[in-house]
Amino acid sequence: MSQVTPVPEHHHEDALDHLEDEFKQLEGVTRFGRPLVIGAIVLVLVGAVSAAVWWVLSPTPITSSAHRSYATTTGSPMDVVEPKATTLADPPARFAWESVTGRLQYVVRVYVKGESMPILQRMTTTTFVELTPDEQARMTRGKAFVWTVAAQGKDGATIAAGQSSFKVR
């Protein structure tokens, strides 16, 4: 297979021209080799884009030695109303929070404490959500939970966020 010559640093040819040169060098490769190389390039690009999308969209909590924060750190802090730092006899049927001016919607997530994937996620335009019996059943007795709410503006950016925790006996 031909060896690809790197673009010298002093040469400021744009990336597409560089890729075109690499594809031209592949013309001498066997008819099976070229599709494999092109496939490998596409695979690497798809992998990089997938990793970037996952990193941006995943609700990975921010971790410190003393505190794990699930709520986004952007935007203003907002008060949660219920449930708020309590131990409950039964899973909560309702989550509520303060209203935020200028929001398009709220995103509510419930996590098992210490886990990074939510067991429940809801979007709403009201300042509360009423849970279905199926959603309540996801909150197992004897476990601690963290819930977050994020107010999103028209552009999808978080303008305020809050979080609290509770335990189900």
Side-chain angles (χ1 to χ4, degrees), residues 1 23-24 26-40:
M1 188 184 315
F23 281 114
K24 284 180 183 175
L26 291 175
E27 289 176 358
V29 176
T30 67
R31 67 183 203 165
F32 295 110
R34 184 174 183 180
L36 288 175
V37 171
I38 292 171

Side-chain angles (χ1 to χ4, degrees), residues 5 9 20 27 32 51 61 67 71 83 89-91 102 109 115 118 120 130-131 137 140 142 146 156 160-161 164-165:
T5 308
E9 286 185 29
E20 184 178 328
E27 289 176 358
F32 295 110
H67 179 71
D90 296 304
R109 292 182 179 101
E115 300 290 325
L120 173 74
E130 299 282 340
L131 300 184
T140 312
V146 174
S164 190
S165 60

Side-chain angles (χ1 to χ4, degrees), residues 5-54:
T5 308
V7 176
E9 286 185 29
H10 67 279
H11 194 316
H12 296 288
E13 160 178 80
D14 80 312
L16 290 176
D17 288 341
H18 180 65
L19 282 176
E20 184 178 328
D21 290 344
E22 288 185 20
F23 281 114
K24 284 180 183 175
Q25 291 179 11
L26 291 175
E27 289 176 358
V29 176
T30 67
R31 67 183 203 165
F32 295 110
R34 184 174 183 180
L36 288 175
V37 171
I38 292 171
I41 291 170
V42 169
L43 187 61
V44 168
L45 290 174
V46 168
V49 169
S50 297
V53 168
W54 177 84

Side-chain angles (χ1 to χ4, degrees), residues 108-120:
V108 179
R109 292 182 179 101
V110 179
Y111 301 85
V112 173
K113 192 168 187 173
E115 300 290 325
S116 62
M117 294 301 294
I119 60 168
L120 173 74

